[in-house]
Amino acid sequence: MKKKNSMAKWPFVFVGPFVVTYALFYLYPMLFSFWISMTDWTGLNIDHKNFIGLSNYVKVFTDDPMFWKSIWNTFRIMIIAMPLTITAGLLMAVLMFHIIKCRQLVQTINFLPYITMPVAIGLIFANMFNKNIGVVNMLLTKTGLLNEKINWLGDSRYAFIVVILMCMWKNFGYFMVIYLSGLSTISGEYYDAAKVDGANAVQRFFKITLPLLRPITVFVLVQGAIGGFQLFDEAKNLVSGTGSTIVGGPGRSLLTIVWYFYDTSFQNNSRYGYGAAIAFSMTLIIAIISFINMKMLNRKEE
């Protein structure tokens, strides 16, 4: 009995450090932030935290046009960039898996942007699309496609296009690698049987590859939605790389929800309580969108 009792404590000994670390560095900050979201704390005086209940949340959803503008900007970027990036990643993965040699080299080259620092990505695109010295304007004018240079980062329409391209360039390699891992689990017998039945490459792609990659697609869509609503560093550094101090870029067309949260909490306004309410509202929206994505795709699968 003594030996059994001494053995029973070891699981708690090994799990204990994780539980303590989780409670201190994740659970407690999350609960503290939620409490902060129900106060009017500005962060200037640690003792000055007036409890105001759900007033911050009511203001976020009913009396804050900038919050909804940032939601709309984020959703607009995500709804355009995500399908294009996922489609490109899937097609490139299929091409690499069945045709391209030196797969590991090509895979590494395409995956590098995903692990590149967001600050570097923002500065790279800011220099590339600079009106005066950017390589994009230089190439377009020298090839005769443009008569005059475009102010890519000074016009809300063009700045939005640049952010879309930047998001695609960064995430393309990640989606490609995920789909490559899914393709490796599909048995070649399915394709051999389809060839015997006379199915061409396009028919094999739509009848075999896509249906069997459905779980991967669900994962990629959920991850893409979460990552899309967390867009911040790239857009902010793209604007700051031009020397602009305008929050959200030209016409605030690049103001994402995380950027708005950052500006409200730590930049010009320093409203910690209201910023925390924005953060938890964003978490709720991400959860709802992820749930809808999973339900829709699972329903199609049934």
Side-chain angles (χ1 to χ4, degrees):
M1 282 298 288
K2 289 184 178 180
K3 185 175 181 180
K4 287 185 178 180
N5 291 333
S6 63
M7 292 293 292
K9 68 181 180 181
W10 285 109
F12 297 98
V13 172
F14 288 112
V15 174
F18 167 76
V19 173
V20 172
T21 304
Y22 178 83
L24 287 177
F25 296 102
Y26 181 81
L27 186 60
Y28 170 73
M30 183 177 65
L31 295 175
F32 181 72
S33 298
F34 181 70
W35 179 73
I36 289 297
S37 71
M38 304 180 76
T39 69
D40 62 354
W41 190 36
T42 61
L44 299 178
N45 188 346
I46 195 170
D47 296 322
H48 183 70
K49 302 187 190 72
N50 296 322
F51 182 80
I52 57 175
L54 298 176
S55 298
N56 284 331
Y57 291 95
V58 172
K59 183 177 180 181
V60 165
F61 286 104
T62 62
D63 191 28
D64 190 351
M66 290 304 299
F67 172 78
W68 290 110
K69 182 175 181 60
S70 65
I71 288 288
W72 169 242
N73 288 340
T74 306
F75 185 76
R76 194 166 53 137
I77 294 171
M78 181 185 68
I79 206 67
I80 296 175
M82 190 170 65
L84 293 174
T85 311
I86 291 175
T87 302
L90 172 60
L91 295 178
M92 187 63 183
V94 172
L95 188 66
M96 287 180 57
F97 191 80
H98 294 288
I99 300 174
I100 296 179
K101 297 181 180 179
C102 303
R103 186 189 308 170
Q104 292 183 345
L105 176 62
V106 178
Q107 179 177 326
T108 302
I109 293 174
N110 285 295
F111 189 75
L112 282 176
Y114 183 74
I115 59 176
T116 303
M117 292 284 291
V119 175
I121 294 176
L123 293 176
I124 289 171
F125 274 79
N127 287 320
M128 285 177 57
F129 287 90
N130 186 283
K131 179 181 179 180
N132 298 316
I133 61 173
V135 66
V136 175
N137 272 339
M138 182 184 69
L139 291 175
L140 291 176
T141 52
K142 285 191 175 182
T143 54
L145 296 175
L146 288 179
N147 293 324
E148 58 182 18
K149 296 179 179 180
I150 295 177
N151 187 10
W152 291 98
L153 304 178
D155 189 303
S156 60
R157 298 169 299 172
Y158 299 124
F160 181 77
I161 295 174
V162 175
V163 169
I164 296 294
L165 294 174
M166 183 169 56
C167 292
M168 291 179 61
W169 181 76
K170 177 186 176 183
N171 296 306
F172 165 75
Y174 172 72
F175 292 150
M176 181 197 68
V177 169
I178 296 296
Y179 274 117
L180 273 173
S181 64
L183 287 169
S184 63
T185 63
I186 300 176
S187 174
E189 296 178 358
Y190 294 112
Y191 296 105
D192 295 336
K195 289 179 182 178
V196 172
D197 291 337
N200 57 35
V202 176
Q203 291 172 327
R204 294 196 298 271
F205 175 76
F206 284 102
K207 297 295 183 180
I208 298 175
T209 305
L210 274 185
L212 293 178
L213 288 178
R214 190 179 299 277
I216 301 295
T217 302
V218 173
F219 172 79
V220 165
L221 281 173
V222 173
Q223 287 293 105
I226 294 173
F229 271 93
Q230 293 177 340
L231 179 65
F232 167 62
D233 292 300
E234 294 86 351
K236 185 176 185 301
N237 288 298
L238 178 68
V239 175
S240 62
T242 63
S244 174
T245 58
I246 301 175
V247 177
R252 297 190 184 272
S253 59
L254 306 184
L255 181 66
T256 62
I257 180 61
V258 179
W259 193 349
Y260 181 52
F261 155 73
Y262 173 80
D263 181 66
T264 301
S265 302
F266 308 110
Q267 287 289 96
N268 299 322
N269 300 312
S270 297
R271 292 180 291 167
Y272 282 17
Y274 192 68
I278 292 174
F280 278 98
S281 301
M282 176 184 66
T283 303
L284 178 62
I285 293 172
I286 292 174
I288 292 173
I289 291 177
S290 300
F291 178 77
I292 293 173
N293 279 339
M294 294 177 66
K295 280 293 183 182
M296 289 179 62
L297 288 170
N298 289 334
R299 184 177 300 174
K300 289 180 181 180
E301 187 174 0
E302 293 173 0

